[in-house]
Amino acid sequence: DTEVTQTPKHLVMGMTNKKSLKCEQHMGHRAMYWYKQKAKKPPELMFVYSYEKLSINESVPSRFSPECPNSSLLNLHLHALQPEDSALYLCASSQFQGLNTEAFFGQGTRLTVV
Amino acid sequence: AQSVTQLGSHVSVSEGALVLLRCNYSSSVPPYLFWYVQYPNQGLQLLLKYTSAATLVKGINGFEAEFKKSETSFHLTKPSAHMSDAAEYFCAVSERGSTLGRLYFGRGTQLTVWP
């Protein structure tokens, strides 16, 4: 199983709402990532979790709050977002050990902030 | 930080023609190199990767890439394009050593295939 599952696929939220994006992998990967992708642009790294600990935060605004409840799950909690936060949010996981360095991506959550 | 350059934001080919998508990296130490494909409104799918073995790497869907250290390049090719190859292609690198596998992406190349 080389699948990363993201839910929901689409999300529309108001600027005062609180919502969460979920990501799950069962490949035993040690690292999990959140990327943000705007239209016609490459993905931009937001957060990296390694062994369930937050290892990299790319100066992401506090209205985005990541959480890693266990080694298979990764959440992204959203609160008081702005319209410019509308984007495709991609979750990925990787073993990043030896030659197994590739990241596997989920299908993404298309977020629209209104 | 790593830097990845993809020459040509748009490439158009006829069905059956050769596909060549260019990627150059900037690092004195060869990084791990990847090509990903993204179809509209979907995630990224790994096409192929270079770690440290053979310099000619074969991937899925008939794609291959050749690592050339002297040119710091990792260009993606396919001998004969198919309509289903139309998509966005990203070259990406990650540094060797403990960098938690973070990826640095090129800006992407949109491949159009004409019938």
Side-chain angles (χ1 to χ4, degrees):
Chain A
D1 183 8
T2 57
E3 197 170 288
V4 176
T5 304
Q6 289 188 245
T7 55
K9 285 203 70 175
H10 301 275
L11 179 63
V12 179
M13 61 184 290
M15 289 188 283
T16 59
N17 290 160
K18 286 185 181 180
K19 296 287 185 182
S20 296
L21 309 185
K22 298 186 183 301
C23 174
E24 190 168 4
Q25 59 90 10
H26 295 287
M27 295 176 277
H29 287 172
R30 308 180 303 168
M32 296 185 76
Y33 316 82
W34 280 115
Y35 286 85
K36 173 183 177 180
Q37 187 180 27
K38 302 284 275 185
K40 306 296 184 185
K41 297 289 187 182
E44 297 175 357
L45 183 68
M46 299 175 72
F47 303 103
V48 180
Y49 272 82
S50 172
Y51 293 104
E52 303 167 44
K53 286 187 168 48
L54 182 62
S55 300
I56 295 178
N57 177 341
E58 288 288 288
S59 302
V60 179
S62 60
R63 57 186 183 269
F64 295 90
S65 176
E67 178 196 20
C68 190
N70 60 55
S71 60
S72 299
L73 294 175
L74 185 65
N75 299 322
L76 186 63
H77 303 298
L78 314 173
H79 174 54
L81 295 192
Q82 303 297 310
E84 59 264 30
D85 296 322
S86 298
L88 181 67
Y89 288 84
L90 294 164
C91 174
S93 69
S94 170
Q95 188 67 345
F96 82 96
Q97 180 181 29
L99 301 181
N100 298 318
T101 60
E102 65 270 35
F104 292 87
F105 284 81
Q107 293 297 293
T109 294
R110 174 72 61 188
L111 174 67
T112 303
V113 181
V114 297
Chain B
Q2 289 279 346
S3 174
V4 182
T5 302
Q6 287 184 244
L7 284 176
S9 57
H10 291 85
V11 169
S12 295
V13 299
S14 300
E15 194 172 21
L18 171 72
V19 175
L20 171 61
L21 305 183
R22 300 178 186 273
C23 175
N24 289 86
Y25 65 90
S26 64
S27 173
S28 58
V29 177
Y32 299 119
L33 294 151
F34 309 90
W35 276 99
Y36 285 88
V37 62
Q38 186 176 33
Y39 298 98
N41 296 313
Q42 293 195 24
L44 277 69
Q45 181 183 14
L46 180 69
L47 281 177
L48 47 79
K49 68 176 182 181
Y50 168 79
T51 52
S52 62
T55 56
L56 183 61
V57 180
K58 294 190 183 301
I60 63 171
N61 302 340
F63 284 94
E64 62 182 37
E66 186 172 10
F67 170 69
K68 291 186 177 180
K69 184 178 178 181
S70 61
E71 299 176 8
T72 61
S73 68
F74 190 56
H75 301 330
L76 182 71
T77 60
K78 182 174 181 178
S80 178
H82 191 273
M83 296 292 289
S84 61
D85 295 327
E88 186 85 21
Y89 291 80
F90 292 100
C91 181
V93 306
S94 70
E95 294 173 344
R96 295 176 187 270
S98 179
T99 59
L100 303 174
R102 67 169 297 168
L103 291 171
Y104 297 87
F105 287 91
R107 64 175 179 172
T109 299
Q110 179 68 47
L111 176 66
T112 300
V113 181
W114 299 101

